[in-house]
Amino acid sequence: MPRRETAPRGAPCWVDLMTSDTEKARAFYGELFGWSAEEPNEEFGGYFNFSKDGVLVAGGMPRQPETDARMPDTWSVYLATDDANKTVEAAGGGGGKVIAPPMEVADLGTMAVITDPGNASIGIWQPGRHKGFSIVAEAGAPSWFELHTRDYVTVVDFYRDVFGWETRVESDTSEFRYTLMVDGGEPQAGIMDVSQFPTDALPTLWSVYFGADDTDATLSKAVELGASVVKPAEDTPYGRLAIAADPTGALFKLVAPNEATPAREP
């Protein structure tokens, strides 16, 4: 896909990893996806960026001492906004909660973190000099972004109202309820109703899929590098999908196209 300069308003624009072992994470994702990692920036709490072929694709940071020890290492998703303060204000008025209020990150941009009415955490990024990732839906790059929620109707309305989402219902049956965020007709992210599943099977959260040329081969390589398989590769109408946990337990997903894959990712 062609590189993009900026993400559409309300669309995922960045992902980053909070990890208990930055050196292990840098080595793992570097080997798995061919990423290179900047040196940690102590001015920003040890934050660093991953790049692929010289283009930013993701970030990473060490777990902070005040982080609840029960919280797992995790990948986070950020949605683009042109005004972080107004977005956070709208989120509070729409049933969300503020975890981290808007904070300028030098001249890079402004970030905030909220939870939606379904209690899923989501980051907010108002770009400055840092525009987010510009490679999307390619092998080794963020390729799809998906929210699992148990408060489907309320949460879909929340993202539509707070982030200005244009939405399109993908499926509305008792077995599968799914709504897409679209921009110019192109899907950018999805929300899935998981209220019918056990909490431990499909928890409420945002997740990121990384692209792969071959899901099975990438999953096998991940295991060789110290990851564990959470869900083996399987064919779906949206590609061949798999779920893994990296060497410190952070979950991530893989997607590769198959013959049945339509024009969008899952």
Side-chain angles (χ1 to χ4, degrees), residues 116 118-121 147-151 194 199 202-206:
D116 65 29
N119 207 36
S121 176
L147 170 62
H148 289 173
T149 184
R150 298 178 182 281
D151 198 357
V194 297
T199 303
L202 287 173
T204 296
L205 50 73
W206 274 92

Side-chain angles (χ1 to χ4, degrees), residues 56-105:
L56 295 180
V57 288
M61 67 184 122
R63 289 174 63 95
Q64 302 303 310
E66 65 272 16
T67 303
D68 189 333
R70 294 170 297 180
M71 285 186 60
D73 290 0
T74 186
W75 279 97
S76 296
V77 176
Y78 294 77
L79 304 182
T81 179
D82 51 13
D83 191 322
N85 287 288
K86 286 185 178 179
T87 300
V88 168
E89 183 179 355
K97 296 180 180 179
V98 180
I99 303 302
M103 175 183 67
E104 291 185 3
V105 186

Side-chain angles (χ1 to χ4, degrees), residues 7-13 78-82 87 123-127 163:
R9 176 173 174 261
C13 63
Y78 294 77
L79 304 182
T81 179
D82 51 13
T87 300
I124 294 169
W125 183 249
Q126 178 185 334
F163 291 95

Side-chain angles (χ1 to χ4, degrees), residues 223-239:
V223 171
E224 292 175 5
L225 294 170
S228 56
V229 177
V230 176
K231 189 172 184 179
E234 64 175 350
D235 287 324
T236 76
Y238 308 113

Side-chain angles (χ1 to χ4, degrees), residues 87-261:
T87 300
V88 168
E89 183 179 355
K97 296 180 180 179
V98 180
I99 303 302
M103 175 183 67
E104 291 185 3
V105 186
D107 62 347
L108 301 175
T110 302
M111 70 158 289
V113 181
I114 62 171
T115 57
D116 65 29
N119 207 36
S121 176
I122 183 66
I124 294 169
W125 183 249
Q126 178 185 334
R129 187 164 55 86
H130 192 308
K131 306 299 183 183
F133 49 71
S134 57
I135 304 176
V136 187
E138 294 183 7
S143 291
W144 187 246
F145 314 88
E146 186 172 83
L147 170 62
H148 289 173
T149 184
R150 298 178 182 281
D151 198 357
Y152 179 76
V153 173
T154 299
V155 165
V156 169
D157 286 344
F158 174 84
Y159 285 94
R160 185 187 294 122
D161 295 341
V162 172
F163 291 95
W165 278 20
E166 177 187 352
T167 59
R168 186 173 78 214
V169 175
E170 181 79 343
S171 178
D172 191 21
T173 69
S174 58
E175 294 82 16
F176 185 51
R177 300 175 78 196
Y178 201 99
T179 290
L180 296 170
M181 179 267 183
V182 297
D183 177 72
E186 292 298 319
Q188 305 291 325
I191 298 177
M192 179 178 173
D193 180 8
V194 297
S195 58
Q196 69 272 37
F197 299 102
T199 303
D200 57 350
L202 287 173
T204 296
L205 50 73
W206 274 92
S207 58
V208 55
Y209 291 76
F210 293 108
D213 290 323
D214 183 323
T215 299
D216 298 79
T218 303
L219 185 62
S220 178
K221 183 176 182 180
V223 171
E224 292 175 5
L225 294 170
S228 56
V229 177
V230 176
K231 189 172 184 179
E234 64 175 350
D235 287 324
T236 76
Y238 308 113
R240 189 159 176 82
L241 312 180
I243 307 175
D246 74 15
T248 68
L251 295 178
F252 65 97
K253 300 181 180 182
L254 298 170
V255 57
N258 58 29
E259 292 182 359
T261 307

